[in-house]
Amino acid sequence: QEMSMGPEPGNLGGTAIKPVGWDRTGLEAFKYFLYNPDTGEVLTRTPLSWVKITVFYSVYYCCLAAFWIGCLQVFFLTLPEIQDGPKWTMYQSIIGTNPGMGVRPGNSDQRIDSQMFVLSQEGMNTDYAVRTEHFLESYNREATYPYKNFDISELGPCGEYPYGFVANYGESVAPCIFLKLNKIWGWVPEPLDDYDTDWIPEDLQDHYNYMRDDGNTQNVWMHCEGRNAADKEALGDIEYFPRSRGLPVEFFPFMGASVSGQNYHSPLVAIKIHPGREFLGQLIHVECRAYFRGVVHDTKNKMGLVQFEVLINE
């Protein structure tokens, strides 16, 4: 008796269904990518699909732009008008009421991050003289009301080209270094108390007493000296211009200039350095400090003072 056979086993798995046009290649495939006449697709999307995605992203990016513009407008509402100055000033600002000091002329681009004046006794040093001339150009224009005019003729020889950077008629190089206070909006310095000057350097105290007798004490006073004993010996006597050694308080406060188109004359004190020939080639470290009531001198943060170096080679 023959055994009965069951049904034949079917195929395991599914049968792959290949899409129409799967075997297109080359130019034919590219043409169908641009436009498929069977489905009406353009760049793999139907016209309705393109309309939907265009509308979606148009609405999305319009909302995104509106949100960004709204945030920008809120930010602008927090800003004061230009003529009103910064929102946070004086004690409310990071700078506070204790300005730093600056020296001019600025250094060359090669030494932009340095405050070292490298000069030559026999060289021309005209680059320093030219930068000084450019710095003083704003003082040749009238200061804008209510600012005062600073007369650079008060700087004596330091107000005339080449400002001591070039040796003329056998004279030694005696550079003029210009000192100024950094601007703080709305700040007015308080002059020293006539009866509380024991804490200032002795030679400045003598000078202050002389100026007090002359009725001229409404200044921010400048005092410079070598930072070390060898530097003090090399510096010798420093000449100050104007002879008052002070920045008159009448030039304060600063209430804006560059943005509003005004011209402000920041008061200056120039020092003229006369190192002897025996100190040529010696790097001289100089520190200048400003003195007024309430000043804080901080070497680390350069508050109320400035430090620089002078090197005069043969």
Side-chain angles (χ1 to χ4, degrees):
Q1 184 178 1
E2 295 183 359
M3 297 180 61
S4 59
M5 302 293 292
E8 295 183 359
N11 294 331
L12 296 177
T15 303
I17 301 176
K18 298 176 181 179
V20 177
W22 67 273
D23 55 347
R24 297 190 189 106
T25 59
L27 183 60
E28 182 185 10
F30 181 69
K31 289 181 178 179
Y32 269 82
F33 169 74
L34 295 178
Y35 176 70
N36 189 333
D38 299 331
T39 61
E41 294 177 347
V42 178
L43 301 178
T44 71
R45 286 185 180 274
T46 63
L48 180 61
S49 176
W50 278 116
V51 170
K52 289 179 178 180
I53 197 171
T54 301
V55 171
F56 171 79
Y57 278 106
S58 296
V59 173
Y60 173 75
Y61 282 114
C62 285
C63 292
L64 192 64
F67 175 76
W68 181 79
I69 293 173
C71 291
L72 197 61
Q73 289 298 323
V74 172
F75 170 74
F76 282 142
L77 290 176
T78 66
L79 297 180
E81 296 296 330
I82 292 178
Q83 62 271 18
D84 296 333
K87 183 174 182 178
W88 308 111
T89 60
M90 305 289 285
Y91 296 101
Q92 296 177 325
S93 68
I94 297 177
I95 299 176
T97 58
N98 199 77
M101 291 177 58
V103 294
R104 297 293 186 274
N107 234 320
S108 61
D109 292 341
Q110 291 78 8
R111 299 192 183 96
I112 194 66
D113 58 345
S114 170
Q115 288 190 314
M116 180 186 298
F117 295 84
V118 181
L119 307 171
S120 173
Q121 182 67 27
E122 304 299 334
M124 295 299 292
N125 306 316
T126 52
D127 56 331
Y128 285 99
V130 170
R131 285 197 296 275
T132 302
E133 189 173 37
H134 289 168
F135 165 66
L136 295 175
E137 281 181 352
S138 64
Y139 293 86
N140 295 326
R141 303 191 304 271
E142 290 289 322
T144 309
Y145 181 82
Y147 297 133
K148 304 289 185 179
N149 286 312
F150 183 84
D151 188 1
I152 60 175
S153 65
E154 295 183 8
L155 300 177
C158 288
E160 301 174 356
Y161 191 89
Y163 315 104
F165 288 104
V166 179
N168 291 326
Y169 308 108
E171 297 179 355
S172 300
V173 171
C176 291
I177 311 297
F178 298 83
L179 308 174
K180 60 186 289 292
L181 288 178
N182 295 341
K183 301 182 185 73
I184 295 182
W185 188 289
W187 177 72
V188 179
E190 295 185 45
L192 294 174
D193 189 336
D194 287 349
Y195 303 99
D196 184 23
T197 59
D198 295 338
W199 57 279
I200 67 177
E202 183 177 354
D203 70 318
L204 179 57
Q205 188 172 0
D206 293 339
H207 177 75
Y208 179 84
N209 292 336
Y210 172 80
M211 297 301 295
R212 181 179 58 192
D213 296 338
D214 199 36
N216 184 9
T217 60
Q218 301 299 300
N219 298 305
V220 174
W221 306 95
M222 295 293 171
H223 174 73
C224 299
E225 63 181 3
R227 289 158 60 185
N228 307 299
D231 301 319
K232 294 178 182 178
E233 181 183 3
L235 276 178
D237 294 330
I238 299 176
E239 287 189 272
Y240 292 86
F241 301 96
R243 297 296 183 182
S244 64
R245 294 173 58 172
L247 307 176
V249 297
E250 66 179 355
F251 286 89
F252 302 92
F254 171 76
M255 301 299 290
S258 57
V259 176
S260 58
Q262 295 179 312
N263 187 29
Y264 172 70
H265 287 183
S266 184
L268 303 172
V269 168
I271 62 170
K272 196 171 184 64
I273 300 175
H274 298 272
R277 298 194 66 87
E278 65 273 20
F279 298 107
L280 294 179
Q282 175 179 331
L283 182 63
I284 305 174
H285 303 80
V286 185
E287 180 178 278
C288 295
R289 297 191 174 200
Y291 288 88
F292 53 89
R293 189 182 304 179
V295 67
V296 176
H297 296 127
D298 188 333
T299 304
K300 179 180 179 181
N301 297 312
K302 301 296 186 293
M303 296 171 60
L305 58 86
V306 66
Q307 296 176 334
F308 58 93
E309 295 77 35
V310 177
L311 175 63
I312 303 179
N313 296 310
E314 294 187 14

